[in-house]
Amino acid sequence: MSSKPLSLTEGFAPPDLEAWTKAAAKTAPDARIEALIRRTLDGIGIAPLYGAWNAGEPAGPRRGSAADATRPWDLRSKVFAGSPVEANAGALKALNDGAASILLPVEAAGLASSDAMAQALDGVLVELATVALDGGAAAVEAANALAVVAKGSPLARLAFHLDPITTMARQGPDLFDASVQTAMRHQGAYPAAELFLASGRFVHEAGGTEAQELAVMLASGVAYGRALEGAGLSAEAALSRVTLGVSADAMMFQTLAKTRAARVLWARACAASGVDVPARIEARSSRRMLSAADPWTNLLRLTAAGFGAGAGGCDALVLDPFDVLIETPTPLAQRQARNIQLILMEEAHLGRVADPAGGSWFVESLTRDLAKAAWARFQAIEAAGGIVASLDRLAEEVAVARAARDRQLKDGEAQMIGVTVHRPVDAAAIAVAVETGRFAPVSLTAAFEGVEA
């Protein structure tokens, strides 16, 4: 056997950018190579070719190697339930079937009291499996209930995920001060607990852009950090108790770069505070991208979303079941939501390489451009008085982005398989409940496959 290293370039002429550009221009509109550049709704240019000449310096910092290469991130299973009893059954099944942690629906399952929370978590070992809350308007009560159920165990893996900014954005009650008081009440007893979730998800689901989502995520994280510091924690301790939330959708490279950019932005914000706190990122799959009329195509969208978030370096990932829009998710759909992640981790081995997209000219460029655009928007939010004071103006900006996205789909500039093209011949119209109000979530597919309920 030859010991000569295998060369993949031997026998090929060195690449010639000038020659490629001339050849590509012949097929470009009006023979202009610039016409091949596509722009995102944030104005970021996506070039037809990337190399060292346009990649720039690598964006950093990056997520390091996972402690467990076969489980590089926390497989977090969302529980769908209408009562504490159903929540308990769903939680135990998810954990027994491969999930590492659970996300509990507080309002839907009625888990705002300690008795209800105890019933939902009966048999769940909170020292081994993280329990995360999706609290909504009942977030404060639910956090108190979870703290009671954990019985003061310092090893309890709790994610209170208080997120009053999202609640206020959706025109719910102002829980900011109460959330800070609740966080401070429990931070000492549960030193490993994740207190706040700084998420721009409400921007994403309302139709916003990647940079808008990242800017709101960062502004929320800074607001929560400041509040905790004002309540008595050091800057380092305060920022270490904040988790960043990002949305993962079928635009795989956008998701990958957005997840990496979140880490870059957080590092820059922490440096401005004189501390070095690594980002902790929870990614959740996008609802706006899902099809109701052809739900099977959602399996591919969710897989692309999971790959993008996982390769981008998320620390926890929640994928929706593929049929979540049309009914209470079936056992098959919930199983697939888990198994997509298990395959990505244990068969595709995404965790065997730290930052697998690192060094890619395209991904590094997109990560840097997204971080730059998001940082500029973050600065505008801060200059306007912070995230809470900026919500009305942000809602108007997101509405503009949503209209542009709708136009792209209607004009065929953007496509969704099974929705705008290649629709099933027997697809029937789906009744769609349309929400209104500031940052109301939207469905990109509803205009093509639904009728208002």
Side-chain angles (χ1 to χ4, degrees), residues 222-316:
V222 168
Y224 295 148
R226 284 176 180 152
L228 289 173
E229 188 176 2
L233 295 184
S234 68
E236 183 174 11
L239 293 172
S240 69
R241 308 302 286 272
V242 177
T243 298
L244 306 179
V246 300
S247 300
D249 66 15
M251 298 293 289
M252 185 184 71
F253 284 110
Q254 292 279 9
T255 295
L256 200 161
K258 181 169 65 175
T259 307
R260 297 176 86 246
R263 202 170 296 279
V264 174
L265 291 164
W266 186 248
R268 188 169 182 179
C270 288
S273 299
V275 298
D276 181 13
V277 177
R280 180 174 53 242
I281 301 173
E282 182 201 70
R284 299 187 192 181
S285 60
S286 167
R287 285 279 177 93
R288 77 183 191 191
M289 72 172 179
L290 298 180
S291 167
D294 191 14
W296 297 103
T297 57
N298 293 334
L299 284 167
L300 299 176
R301 295 186 180 97
L302 291 163
T303 300
F307 181 92
C314 70
D315 297 283

Side-chain angles (χ1 to χ4, degrees), residues 66-88:
D68 183 352
T70 62
R71 285 294 186 101
W73 63 81
D74 184 340
L75 195 172
R76 185 158 292 166
S77 223
K78 184 170 183 177
V79 175
F80 294 86
S83 69
V85 172
E86 291 179 3
N88 181 248

Side-chain angles (χ1 to χ4, degrees), residues 302-328:
L302 291 163
T303 300
F307 181 92
C314 70
D315 297 283
L317 176 58
V318 183
L319 292 184
D320 267 323
F322 66 83
D323 60 2
V324 69
L325 293 187
I326 56 178
E327 57 185 328
T328 300

Side-chain angles (χ1 to χ4, degrees), residues 125-196:
L125 302 179
V126 294
E127 289 84 5
L128 299 179
T130 299
V131 176
L133 300 180
D134 187 358
V140 170
E141 293 87 348
N144 290 329
L146 180 59
V148 170
V149 172
K151 298 177 181 176
S153 170
L155 299 179
R157 301 164 65 94
L158 310 179
F160 295 122
H161 280 181
L162 295 159
D163 188 11
I165 290 172
T166 291
T167 303
M168 284 188 285
R170 296 297 310 280
Q171 298 177 304
D174 183 351
L175 301 176
F176 199 101
D177 290 341
S179 296
V180 175
Q181 293 168 8
T182 300
M184 291 301 296
R185 185 181 306 123
H186 302 305
Q187 56 86 20
Y190 302 106
E194 302 170 36
L195 300 178
F196 282 94

Side-chain angles (χ1 to χ4, degrees), residues 19 55 80 102 139 171 180 191 233 273 308 325 342 355-356 366 378 387 390 405 422:
F80 294 86
I102 52 174
Q171 298 177 304
V180 175
L233 295 184
S273 299
L325 293 187
L342 290 172
D355 191 21
L366 183 56
F378 163 71
I387 182 62
S390 300
R405 200 180 301 277
H422 307 305

